[in-house]
Amino acid sequence: MMGENPTSLSNAKLNTLLWLGRKLNAAIEMEPFLQIVVESICQLTSSETSSLFLFEAETSMLKFVAAPRTSSIKLKRLRVPLEHSVAGEAYTTGKPVIINHAHEDARIYRSVDQELSFTTRSILAVPITYRHEALGVLEAVNKLGGAQYDDADLMVMETLASYAGTYLFNAILLEEALQASQALEEMEKKKNDFLAIASHELRTPLGLIVGHASFLRDMAQFDEQTQSQLDTILRSAMRMRELIEAMSNTHLGSTSQKRLKRKSFSINQMIEEVVASFSAQATQQKIQVRVDLPAESLHLQGDNEKLAIAFGNLLKNSLTYTEPGGHVLVKVEKLPGFAKVSVIDDGIGIPAADLPHIFDKFYQVESHLNRRHGGIGLGLSVAKVMVEMHGGQIWAESIEGKGSNFSFLIPVDLDQGGKSTSIFAA
Ligand code: ADP
């Protein structure tokens, strides 16, 4: 319509339309925006009143959502059916409806008039659509001075309807996005609660199994076969304990830095201790582990235990995902304000498509069904949480079939972590 006869609108009306268009971009709240639209209808089409309906899925009717201030309170309770109403016709056909002699037109939905003690003399209804989806209807009611609605009014109404369509569609999308993110947050919380409760409940009976099995192994004299069965029980129980620890550590991400036990510690010593705790596993798997530490012991302000868990998870993975005869290099470097720890292996590597996801909770490259390795896909996400709690950063580089390089950076002084971000940008 706009292209057909743009000169029939006065400058004042065009200015009002332009102003409304700008309002649309100003991100104002839904109610004031719709109010402006209906008030503008009266002003720009010289109408006694106007209304804005939205389709309501629960009732399959059109619901009044805005009308000029004088009538809006009453109107809000009203709904109009899609059949036998002017608004319904505009909505279902997607075309404007003009009725200039309402008293003799059967399409008028008389209940509204009766309820409001109002007489509809003329109506101009246009559908509100966005990308061919019908959202509602705009109506101008009772052209003042007994005049008839004309093409200029239609042009105004179609412009306002297209503004309303864009605005409403954006609002609907925003609402849907908000609801989706709230649902995700709730699910995340439920998952974390479940992990926290399950790991807590499993810990006690497992402690008893480990305790009693260790007692039996140390105290009683069994034959070799029974002894080896006891060892298997103990090994499996210890493995289960590791998994439970990983589960209980995953929900730490949402907690604040308050949970960090800060103290000064030697990173050289921490690395050596963790490497020593894996030396039996490395020997058994015939993997050579080399450690390259700074000559002068590097001291950090932070939580020794949490960083030992992070580093231990990287080292455990490098042993798990490297074939016998392979090599692992643990390297600690001193950078300005930071300590960098790298665990480099010449193992199976990680496919490029999986690399961006490996720090996600429960993500594993091999599917659970045909896994050759144990684990539940939490080790790296736990390591990430621990490192980020320190204001640090963790990342991985890898070439499938050649090996992987996992590194993390930790600020030497915890309080400087957030400020010294320049190195992360590099
Ligand atoms: P998992 O318990 O499965 O080891 P992680 O969170 O520790 O869980 O690791 C996630 C996935 O990343 C692993 O399942 C594995 O596919 C891959 N991965 C981690 N570290 C390495 C590595 N050093 N070499 C190859 N793949 C690795």
Side-chain angles (χ1 to χ4, degrees), residues 317 321 345 349-350 358 363-365 371 375-377 379-380 404 406:
N317 280 350
Y321 301 105
D345 64 56
I350 299 163
I358 50 166
Y363 192 89
Q364 299 185 304
V365 173
R371 258 182 97 71
I376 48 175
L380 289 181
S404 310
F406 283 81

Side-chain angles (χ1 to χ4, degrees), residues 259-277:
R259 296 183 71 119
L260 283 184
K261 291 188 215 137
R262 293 153 170 244
K263 63 172 192 213
S264 172
F265 69 94
S266 152
I267 194 160
N268 292 36
Q269 193 184 336
M270 182 274 272
I271 297 283
E272 276 171 338
E273 282 171 8
V274 175
V275 171
S277 71

Side-chain angles (χ1 to χ4, degrees), residues 239 243 246 313-322 343-351 354-355 357-366 368 371 373-383 396-398 403-406:
R239 174 84 193 107
L243 295 176
N313 288 355
L314 299 188
L315 185 57
K316 178 154 64 83
N317 280 350
S318 69
L319 296 174
T320 306
Y321 301 105
T322 298
V343 181
I344 305 158
D345 64 56
D346 56 3
I348 62 173
I350 299 163
D354 294 293
L355 205 51
H357 309 291
I358 50 166
F359 290 97
D360 296 349
K361 280 181 195 167
F362 301 109
Y363 192 89
Q364 299 185 304
V365 173
E366 290 175 318
H368 223 82
R371 258 182 97 71
H373 307 99
I376 48 175
L378 287 176
L380 289 181
S381 68
V382 168
E397 292 152 52
S398 184
S404 310
N405 181 347
F406 283 81

Side-chain angles (χ1 to χ4, degrees), residues 69 162 175 181 267 361 378:
R69 294 206 188 281
S162 84
E175 181 59 28
S181 93
I267 194 160
K361 280 181 195 167
L378 287 176

Side-chain angles (χ1 to χ4, degrees), residues 43-60:
Q43 189 196 335
L44 295 172
T45 64
S46 308
S47 296
E48 184 182 337
T49 189
S50 65
S51 45
L52 190 149
F53 304 83
L54 284 183
F55 180 71
E56 189 179 52
E58 303 91 71
T59 57
S60 292

